[in-house]
Amino acid sequence: MIVQLEEELKKLPDQPGVYLMHDKEDTIIYIGKAVSLTKRVHQYFQASHNEGLKKAQMVRQIARFEYIVTDSELEALVLECNLIKEHRPKYNTMLRDDKTYPYIKVTLGEDYPRVLFARQMKKDKSRYFGPYTSAGAVKDTIDLLNKLYGLRTCSRKLPKDAGKERPCLNYHIKQCAAPCQAYISREDYRERTEQAVRFLNGEYQPIMQELEEKMQAASGNLEFEKAMEYRDLLNSVKQIAQKQKITDANDEDRDVIGMAKDGEDAVVQVFFIRGGKLIGREHFYLKIETEDANSQILTVFMKQYYAGTPFIPKMIMLPFNIEEQEVIEEWLGGKRGQKVYIKIPQKGMKEKLVELAVKNAMLVLTHDREKLKREEGRTIGAMKEISTLLSLPGIARVEAFDISNISGFQSVGSMVVYEKGRPCRSDYRKFRLKTVSGPDDYASMHEVLTRRFEHGRAEREELKEKGLENAYGSFTKFPDLIMMDGGKGQVNIALQVLEELHLNIPVCGMVKDDNHRTRGLYYNNVEIPIDRNSEGFKLITRIQDEAHRFAIEYHRSLRSKGQVHSVLDEIPGIGPSRRKALMVRYASLEEIGNATVEELAETPSMNLQSAKAVYEHFHSADTH
């Protein structure tokens, strides 16, 4: 894990962004922002760096991390806030107060609109801008707009309250056009409001140029206090000008998609914007042909991705046009139940969001190439190593079997399947033993294998009769290799079953040493040693552990859920809850029979009367 983290640290870009720390369960435990991702994330793993006991505890739990690059620290901060609210990481305690960032609100629903400070966006007739990270800068900008355009700050109901009171001080110091006195027409006031909205939409240059000129003029006239005032206003405008692409004031659900390709590899990045906020993202790897056009690649992705995802947003933004765009829009609209729009933004905030998705796709493609190669080595490469080791070319599908019981109590069997080095969990199967009683692993394995392949052959015949020779049922796909949990004895049982069923499938055993660790493969009456550092060896260990885990979990579920019927069902007063409690506490019926009345009464759900009933049942003459 340490080596893997060191390799990932080397790939971090010297750019602003957000990083997400995961533990070994792949749970996000911390989300942070950085001006430089490489500098900030490296700090966590430096022995000399001290951020307190809590952060040190967090670092010890980090199994992997991921990151999203942004164009500025400001964007990283807002994205950090959105992601923390979505994921609630364990170690982001400083943000549990659900702090919100400020907006600028223009009350366009009023006859004489105001520009206000707001902490939340509401579904009203107002228009919102932001969020912004500096409340002070927002307040300064509101003051600036009111001064420049003479907008009102009062809460009077206009024009209803017009003329009822004298104009306020702002009118006398020439900072308000006094619509409360009808000194300005509604149309002229609306025009001033629209100018303020244009400023908030990003048309800053005229205002900034005017403030710069006034600052220089005041300085030239030795009016330094006035020059400092213009300077502070100018700085506030510059700060507010860093608009947030990460949050969309339209409060819409949309997917923003970017793509990057290189040779036979492509990565598609999808940003998920829900309720106007970027709450997460996912990237997808595609194997392509070098001559595939961008539009062709993205068309294939759109069809496959949205065929499987349950949520279709109102809008999907792409970096370029795709093939069959109108048909895909119609298809997605049918899935959503209302019209879906596919847009290729050409300017503004939406275009920059798409650019950000493309940039992140390129980073994933560039920096994760080695990771992709390692993953291929762990799966397809490992399977090729096993094929070479056994001189069995073309192994793609492997099935492994295991038996689980406790002193023969409710024996069960498991079948796990790996295809191209990856677990194929949809093909896993469980078996409850029907013909074997007692702890006889060989007889149990004979039953499991016989039932598996007889069922498969019956399914094949049934499909053939229906003219569906190329179709697949749950058991019809036979493995290229059977891997048994054990050595010569288990392998011979499998070979015996295959001979009885006239099947020709290679079988090998996964042999363990005295410490119960995998040491090699048993094949063709020979034990073949394996390099413990090879990917093939690691895959064999994973398969063996998975078969064992699957069997144990099935056996445990049968016991804990009380699905096993036993002599306990015959005892008066012992219902499902008491039977389940007894089976959870005791490993076998023999242990229950050897327990005293007092011990039985201590079992959850049991009382003295039911404990006596169980004891008497096991110790009466009829029982023996």
Side-chain angles (χ1 to χ4, degrees):
M1 186 181 298
I2 293 173
V3 173
Q4 184 178 349
L5 285 173
E6 288 177 350
E7 289 299 317
E8 295 303 312
L9 285 169
K10 295 176 184 177
K11 301 173 185 175
L12 284 164
D14 186 17
Q15 296 181 49
V18 173
Y19 52 91
L20 300 87
M21 303 296 194
H22 295 251
D23 64 12
K24 63 181 180 180
E25 305 297 332
D26 211 30
T27 301
I28 297 174
I29 59 175
Y30 185 75
I31 297 173
K33 68 170 181 64
V35 179
S36 167
L37 284 166
T38 184
K39 293 176 182 176
R40 182 69 184 98
V41 179
H42 269 88
Q43 287 179 343
Y44 287 104
F45 303 96
Q46 292 173 355
S48 60
H49 188 68
N50 182 16
E51 292 198 50
L53 183 63
K54 187 174 181 180
K55 286 287 179 69
Q57 185 183 29
M58 181 268 290
V59 170
R60 287 195 294 270
Q61 298 183 38
I62 296 173
R64 73 177 185 91
F65 60 83
E66 59 178 326
Y67 56 89
I68 305 174
V69 297
T70 59
D71 280 344
S72 69
E73 182 188 8
L74 204 56
E75 287 182 1
L77 193 101
V78 177
L79 176 55
E80 176 196 32
C81 181
N82 292 345
L83 291 177
I84 288 171
K85 287 180 182 178
E86 177 69 18
H87 298 289
R88 299 287 179 183
K90 177 180 179 181
Y91 289 97
N92 283 95
T93 51
M94 72 292 294
L95 291 177
R96 284 184 180 171
D97 60 351
D98 203 26
K99 176 183 177 183
T100 56
Y101 291 95
Y103 296 85
I104 292 177
K105 174 181 179 180
V106 183
T107 59
L108 295 178
E110 297 178 334
D111 289 316
Y112 294 88
R114 294 168 293 163
V115 180
L116 304 175
F117 180 98
R119 283 287 182 185
Q120 292 180 331
M121 281 199 302
K122 297 180 180 179
K123 292 186 177 180
D124 52 23
K125 296 180 180 180
S126 300
R127 185 162 180 186
Y128 292 84
F129 299 86
Y132 305 102
T133 55
S134 172
V138 169
K139 291 174 181 177
D140 286 345
T141 302
I142 292 174
D143 289 342
L144 171 66
L145 292 174
N146 289 331
K147 291 175 183 178
L148 288 174
Y149 300 113
L151 303 179
R152 70 187 184 102
T153 59
C154 64
S155 57
R156 297 177 184 178
K157 304 293 184 184
L158 299 179
K160 179 181 177 182
D161 295 337
K164 289 185 178 181
E165 296 181 26
R166 291 180 298 175
C168 65
L169 179 62
N170 285 344
Y171 166 73
H172 296 291
I173 62 175
K174 303 186 185 304
Q175 290 188 6
C176 179
C180 61
Q181 303 299 317
Y183 292 165
I184 183 173
S185 69
R186 181 177 176 181
E187 291 73 20
D188 289 344
Y189 189 91
R190 275 279 171 176
E191 175 58 31
R192 295 189 180 201
T193 305
E194 290 301 323
Q195 290 178 20
V197 168
R198 285 197 291 272
F199 169 83
L200 292 171
N201 269 327
E203 296 181 19
Y204 312 110
Q205 200 55 43
I207 298 295
M208 291 170 68
Q209 185 175 345
E210 181 180 345
L211 289 172
E212 180 77 30
E213 291 172 355
K214 288 183 177 181
M215 181 182 69
Q216 296 297 340
S219 178
N221 295 329
L222 304 181
E223 297 174 324
F224 298 116
E225 288 188 9
K226 186 174 288 189
M228 289 174 64
E229 181 182 345
Y230 286 129
R231 181 202 64 190
D232 292 341
L233 286 172
L234 181 61
N235 288 336
S236 293
V237 174
K238 288 179 178 178
Q239 191 169 3
I240 212 75
Q242 298 183 56
K243 292 188 66 68
Q244 302 306 303
K245 298 187 295 299
I246 294 302
T247 301
D248 185 350
N250 289 332
D251 197 27
E252 290 183 348
D253 294 335
R254 63 184 65 184
D255 287 352
V256 181
I257 298 179
M259 191 196 83
K261 68 172 184 175
D262 185 10
E264 296 181 349
D265 297 314
V267 169
V268 175
Q269 182 91 200
V270 184
F271 284 175
F272 307 111
I273 297 179
R274 302 294 180 257
K277 293 184 178 180
L278 175 58
I279 63 167
R281 64 97 164 84
E282 187 65 80
H283 56 259
F284 303 87
Y285 297 98
L286 292 86
K287 274 292 179 185
I288 61 172
E289 300 295 331
T290 53
E291 62 271 15
D292 286 350
N294 289 344
S295 58
Q296 181 183 358
I297 298 167
L298 207 51
T299 301
V300 171
F301 170 79
M302 293 275 289
K303 290 179 179 178
Q304 293 183 3
Y305 175 69
Y306 288 108
T309 185
F311 180 81
I312 309 295
K314 181 179 180 180
M315 181 180 293
I316 301 169
M317 300 194 303
L318 305 178
F320 44 76
N321 288 307
I322 58 172
E323 300 172 356
E324 310 171 73
Q325 186 161 316
E326 292 183 2
V327 177
I328 292 176
E329 276 186 329
E330 185 178 354
W331 169 59
L332 293 175
K335 286 174 68 70
R336 177 180 167 84
Q338 62 185 95
K339 188 168 180 59
V340 173
Y341 300 89
I342 296 176
K343 300 291 185 182
I344 295 84
Q346 302 296 326
K347 60 181 180 179
M349 196 185 306
K350 294 183 177 65
E351 182 190 25
K352 293 187 181 301
L353 261 177
V354 174
E355 289 176 357
L356 203 59
V358 172
K359 182 190 291 187
N360 277 272
M362 181 60 72
L363 276 170
V364 171
L365 184 63
T366 303
H367 296 306
D368 284 8
R369 181 153 296 184
E370 291 181 12
K371 184 178 178 181
L372 283 170
K373 290 180 179 177
R374 286 200 306 271
E375 181 63 23
E376 188 171 305
R378 289 180 69 253
T379 54
I380 298 173
M383 197 67 86
K384 287 180 180 177
E385 285 183 22
I386 297 172
S387 296
T388 303
L389 200 65
L390 302 177
S391 300
L392 293 172
I395 295 178
R397 181 184 173 96
V398 170
E399 292 180 3
F401 297 83
D402 194 15
I403 301 295
S404 177
N405 64 70
I406 300 178
S407 300
F409 181 73
Q410 191 62 36
S411 294
V412 298
S414 69
M415 176 183 104
V416 300
V417 181
Y418 275 66
E419 288 192 343
K420 296 182 179 179
R422 297 176 182 271
C424 184
R425 292 185 174 85
S426 61
D427 285 1
Y428 283 17
R429 292 294 180 269
K430 307 168 183 175
F431 301 86
R432 293 176 65 172
L433 275 296
K434 298 178 179 178
T435 63
V436 181
S437 60
D440 189 339
D441 283 357
Y442 286 170
S444 298
M445 187 60 73
H446 187 282
E447 178 186 329
V448 167
L449 290 169
T450 301
R451 286 167 57 187
R452 184 266 177 268
F453 288 108
E454 282 185 342
H455 195 160
R457 198 155 56 179
E459 276 192 357
R460 286 185 172 189
E461 290 297 323
E462 184 179 345
L463 291 170
K464 187 176 180 180
E465 290 175 3
K466 295 178 180 179
L468 302 171
E469 291 89 345
N470 296 323
Y472 288 105
S474 58
F475 280 104
T476 52
K477 293 175 72 173
F478 284 5
D480 303 310
L481 175 68
I482 297 172
M483 304 188 81
M484 305 299 296
D485 185 26
K488 183 177 181 180
Q490 292 284 7
V491 169
N492 286 339
I493 288 295
L495 291 173
Q496 179 185 336
V497 171
L498 294 172
E499 185 178 355
E500 291 170 358
L501 299 177
H502 307 291
L503 295 173
N504 183 23
I505 301 173
V507 182
C508 73
M510 298 176 285
V511 186
K512 293 184 177 180
D513 59 21
D514 295 337
N515 296 317
H516 212 62
R517 294 178 302 187
T518 307
R519 74 181 185 211
L521 293 178
Y522 182 82
Y523 181 64
N524 282 346
N525 297 315
V526 177
E527 184 175 321
I528 305 171
I530 312 174
D531 178 6
R532 288 180 177 272
N533 295 317
S534 68
E535 292 295 343
F537 177 84
K538 294 173 185 176
L539 177 59
I540 292 168
T541 302
R542 290 198 298 273
I543 293 173
Q544 194 170 32
D545 291 345
E546 180 71 350
H548 187 62
R549 178 201 65 79
F550 194 54
I552 290 291
E553 287 189 359
Y554 180 43
H555 188 269
R556 185 181 295 124
S557 71
L558 289 178
R559 292 178 60 229
S560 64
K561 293 178 181 177
Q563 294 175 354
V564 181
H565 291 275
S566 67
V567 294
L568 297 178
D569 297 318
E570 304 169 10
I571 304 174
I574 303 300
S577 61
R578 286 175 175 165
R579 184 185 66 217
K580 176 182 176 181
L582 287 168
M583 290 180 136
V584 168
R585 181 173 180 183
Y586 297 100
S588 66
L589 291 174
E590 185 179 356
E591 284 192 17
I592 296 175
N594 291 333
T596 65
V597 173
E598 291 75 15
E599 290 170 339
L600 292 168
E602 292 174 355
T603 303
S605 301
M606 296 285 288
N607 55 30
L608 186 60
Q609 183 178 352
S610 59
K612 286 180 179 178
V614 173
Y615 183 85
E616 291 172 0
H617 180 86
F618 279 92
H619 292 83
S620 67
D622 291 340
T623 303
H624 299 290

